[in-house]
Amino acid sequence: MLTHRKIRLFTPLQLIFFLFFQCVSVVRSLSSVYQQKGQCPLQVPSKIRANNPTELSNNNRRRPSLITIAHRGASFSLPEHSLPAYRLALELGTDYIEPDLVATKDKRLIAVHSFDLNITTNIQHLYPDRHRVIEKNGKEISGYFAFDFSLQELQSVRVKQRVEGRSRAFDYLFPIPTLQDILYLLYEWNNEIHPLIEHDRPHRAGVYIELKAPDFYFERFNVSLADLLLDEMELFPHADEMFFNHEEKTTFGCEDPDSYQVPPLVLQCFHGETMRYLHDVFLERKMALPPFVYLVEKKNCHSLTFWDDVGRMSFLSGIGPDKECLLGEAGYEFSVKSKKMGLAVHPWTTRDELEFVNPKFSSAEEELRFLYCQRGVSGMFTENVDLAIKVGLLGCDDFSREQDIVQDDMSTKKDENVERLANTTVSSKESCDHKNGGNGIWIGLGAVASGLMMGVLISIGALKKSVRLRKQGDSICTILPSKAEKRILHRGELKGMRTLSTISDDDDVDDDDVEII
């Protein structure tokens, strides 16, 4: 039944002005994203990759495609989360040093394995009476917690090797580093030390930051680790130059299409909303966007809702799964799905000890080569930096086994249909310049043009119907859109759901053929 009421129609001139200002608004919002032009992706481009040692030696602009992430520093050799462990990783040639950050009582960020300091330090010997029990996720935890101590109180605490069987020669020699300490170390390495060592082969290392349990801190103490990180970055005098392209002073490394440097800052977390918040703040402040990596445990990576959750986080650049997520048939599917969505895969963690190696493999090297050469991972968290660099240098020319290799041109008819549907909606993963270089501006403008055309067509249709109805009586009927028109008009409400905007009521499309974005 039609509802009768008076409505006012746009004149053609009003419609043109309306669409023009809508276009200006969209372009203005996109411009805040393009300021990080030159930011490299989290995957080494094919034209930069050296697939074997010969290619590497013949061209100093090439590099292995495996990005090395020093998990808590060179933590096989030295106590994790210590400045010497980070420095050793840099000297071994890592692409990233990786600190886990928690907050102290006075809201300073420090790098430790967990907010329970007893796991990796001598805290119980210095403060034996500060032990207590807390509840987290319905479980009781006893320990010496970082949020019970001020930074000043922690100055005398020293770190130790966490993993049994590793050298204890350096236990209790090094203090807990702050984020400021780590950033100064990285700045000194990139700007003063490394240029003297390898001036003919530029290689800038970055920092790959994890915020530990941000939801716990917020729920229990009303403390936002994300805001503390922003505060720490403001406190560090070189942050704008190193990471955020203030006054266009940052050299990201992909300004020249024939060069590549890893993004200087990567943010990772198990809590997606924390990263979403940071992403929005960076855009609001017109800061260059760092890549965001969503961490996932093996108990969750094959859940029914996992890819839906990932699809709703359109700002992601990569996924950081437990390496077990990439094994077996389900692991193959995980790799394929990540590749379709344009996400880098950086699994964790390679350790040399056999107790940490999957029983299917005889060594950590064999396991890592499988992940690199057959699962196509673009980066790896490792506590044996030298091993990861060796595997990257060897390449994959001599390594193929079974038929599980993730092909670059995975092209079945169904996959082509999925990509055709997915490409009708432009997500921030496609439009952001830091994900796809200079193509981002064309994709963004294409989206604007498509939106304008769709708006014109819908408006013209509405005008024709209204004129036709006006001839039939004094009142004008509200036009009830068809089911297909509703899908188009309400496309903004479908964010994170299946792409339906180009599917008409008569199309016969199976749910499995619709890409989640």
Side-chain angles (χ1 to χ4, degrees):
M1 179 176 179
L2 296 176
T3 303
H4 295 269
R5 63 184 178 88
K6 294 282 186 179
I7 63 172
R8 181 181 179 184
L9 296 173
F10 282 118
T11 66
L13 184 60
Q14 288 175 321
L15 178 62
I16 290 172
F17 274 104
F18 172 77
L19 294 175
F20 171 78
F21 285 111
Q22 287 293 102
C23 178
V24 170
S25 176
V26 173
V27 171
R28 184 174 295 165
S29 66
L30 288 174
S31 68
S32 65
V33 175
Y34 296 137
Q35 65 174 321
Q36 66 270 14
K37 183 176 182 180
Q39 176 98 286
C40 296
L42 274 182
Q43 304 179 74
V44 179
S46 57
K47 63 182 177 181
I48 303 295
R49 297 174 190 166
N51 298 312
N52 55 60
T54 302
E55 290 184 3
L56 186 65
S57 61
N58 291 339
N59 190 332
N60 68 356
R61 286 194 172 222
R62 291 195 169 231
R63 57 152 292 154
S65 62
L66 183 65
I67 293 173
T68 301
I69 307 154
H71 190 240
R72 304 163 185 164
S75 50
F76 178 84
S77 304
L78 293 169
E80 64 185 51
H81 292 311
S82 64
L83 291 181
Y86 295 132
R87 174 60 186 267
L88 177 58
L90 294 169
E91 293 182 0
L92 289 171
T94 190
D95 292 300
Y96 287 106
I97 53 176
E98 188 252 358
D100 300 329
L101 300 182
V102 302
T104 62
K105 185 177 182 178
D106 49 348
K107 301 179 182 178
R108 295 298 303 275
L109 293 179
I110 59 173
V112 287
H113 172 79
S114 163
F115 52 67
D116 180 5
L117 301 174
N118 197 40
I119 296 174
T120 55
T121 76
N122 62 346
I123 187 80
Q124 65 175 330
H125 300 299
L126 299 176
Y127 300 99
D129 57 339
R130 302 284 286 275
H131 171 276
R132 71 182 178 113
V133 177
I134 64 169
E135 185 176 300
K136 181 176 182 286
N137 298 330
K139 298 180 180 179
E140 288 190 344
I141 305 173
S142 71
Y144 298 78
F145 302 110
F147 43 75
D148 289 334
F149 296 86
S150 68
L151 182 60
Q152 181 63 38
E153 290 177 308
L154 296 178
Q155 295 300 308
S156 58
V157 175
R158 296 294 180 264
V159 297
K160 64 179 180 180
Q161 177 60 256
R162 181 178 59 87
V163 180
E164 291 295 329
R166 295 180 180 176
S167 172
R168 299 284 178 180
F170 300 96
D171 282 5
Y172 309 127
L173 296 180
F174 313 128
I176 299 173
T178 64
L179 176 57
Q180 296 294 311
D181 295 331
I182 296 166
L183 295 179
Y184 273 110
L185 174 75
L186 184 64
Y187 179 82
E188 179 186 52
W189 173 261
N190 284 331
N191 293 278
E192 300 175 17
I193 299 173
H194 188 264
L196 299 176
I197 299 173
E198 290 193 61
H199 56 85
D200 60 333
R201 186 183 290 276
H203 177 269
R204 181 197 59 213
V207 60
Y208 205 120
I209 290 174
E210 179 184 353
L211 297 179
K212 301 284 283 191
D215 49 339
F216 172 79
Y217 268 92
F218 189 78
E219 292 168 5
R220 190 176 182 91
F221 306 108
N222 198 30
V223 169
S224 168
L225 293 188
D227 284 331
L228 295 186
L229 176 64
L230 294 168
D231 292 343
E232 294 276 1
M233 288 297 181
E234 288 187 4
L235 186 63
F236 182 63
H238 306 293
D240 285 338
E241 171 193 346
M242 289 173 66
F243 308 126
F244 302 120
N245 202 25
H246 179 64
E247 297 181 353
E248 299 186 354
K249 291 182 179 179
T250 305
T251 301
F252 285 112
C254 282
E255 290 81 5
D256 179 351
D258 293 323
S259 65
Y260 178 84
Q261 296 285 354
V262 296
L265 171 67
V266 180
L267 298 177
Q268 55 168 331
C269 195
F270 285 96
H271 192 245
E273 289 307 307
T274 295
M275 293 190 293
R276 187 187 302 278
Y277 171 76
L278 284 168
H279 170 270
D280 293 347
V281 171
F282 287 141
L283 282 183
E284 182 182 327
R285 298 183 183 182
K286 298 184 178 180
M287 301 163 72
L289 282 172
F292 293 90
V293 174
Y294 183 48
L295 300 176
V296 59
E297 298 175 289
K298 61 182 178 181
K299 66 181 180 180
N300 297 325
C301 59
H302 301 308
S303 70
L304 296 176
T305 61
F306 174 70
W307 290 111
D308 287 341
D309 294 340
V310 171
R312 281 189 285 271
M313 291 183 277
S314 59
F315 55 86
L316 291 180
S317 296
I319 305 175
D322 185 316
K323 56 187 173 68
E324 297 293 322
C325 295
L326 298 171
L327 302 181
E329 183 63 28
Y332 173 77
E333 294 298 328
F334 188 98
S335 299
V336 170
K337 186 66 176 178
S338 302
K339 200 174 189 70
K340 287 180 183 177
M341 296 182 75
L343 296 170
V345 179
H346 293 175
W348 41 274
T349 304
T350 295
R351 299 179 176 95
D352 199 46
E353 295 91 344
L354 280 177
E355 63 183 295
F356 300 117
V357 176
N358 187 280
K360 296 179 180 179
F361 305 100
S362 61
S363 67
E365 180 174 344
E366 183 185 9
E367 180 183 61
L368 179 51
R369 295 202 78 195
F370 173 85
L371 294 170
Y372 178 39
C373 299
Q374 292 199 319
R375 289 296 184 256
V377 304
S378 52
M380 190 74 200
F381 289 84
T382 180
E383 296 184 1
N384 299 84
V385 176
D386 53 336
L387 174 61
I389 291 176
K390 173 187 174 182
V391 168
L393 289 172
L394 286 175
C396 298
D397 287 352
D398 64 333
F399 188 94
S400 60
R401 192 173 65 183
E402 303 170 0
Q403 52 190 17
D404 284 343
I405 300 176
V406 179
Q407 301 289 346
D408 287 336
D409 58 346
M410 299 170 297
S411 55
T412 63
K413 184 176 181 180
K414 181 176 179 179
D415 292 341
E416 290 174 355
N417 192 34
V418 168
E419 291 198 11
R420 176 181 65 80
L421 292 172
N423 287 336
T424 62
T425 300
V426 178
S427 70
S428 63
K429 288 198 295 294
E430 294 170 325
S431 63
C432 289
D433 213 21
H434 75 286
K435 300 284 297 272
N436 283 311
N439 292 332
I441 186 68
W442 298 110
I443 294 172
L445 293 176
V448 173
S450 300
L452 289 176
M453 182 62 70
M454 187 175 296
V456 169
L457 292 175
I458 292 173
S459 299
I460 289 174
L463 284 168
K464 287 182 178 179
K465 290 185 180 180
S466 298
V467 170
R468 192 163 57 247
L469 290 168
R470 182 181 284 124
K471 292 178 180 179
Q472 298 174 3
D474 293 330
S475 61
I476 297 175
C477 299
T478 300
I479 300 165
L480 301 180
S482 70
K483 190 182 296 183
E485 287 171 332
K486 285 182 180 178
R487 287 170 176 165
I488 295 171
L489 290 169
H490 297 286
R491 183 172 54 175
E493 299 176 6
L494 297 176
K495 186 176 182 181
M497 298 174 63
R498 287 181 170 84
T499 304
L500 299 173
S501 58
T502 62
I503 304 173
S504 71
D505 292 334
D506 298 325
D507 285 339
D508 183 17
V509 180
D510 188 273
D511 281 347
D512 294 336
D513 289 335
V514 183
E515 179 70 54
I516 301 299
I517 62 170

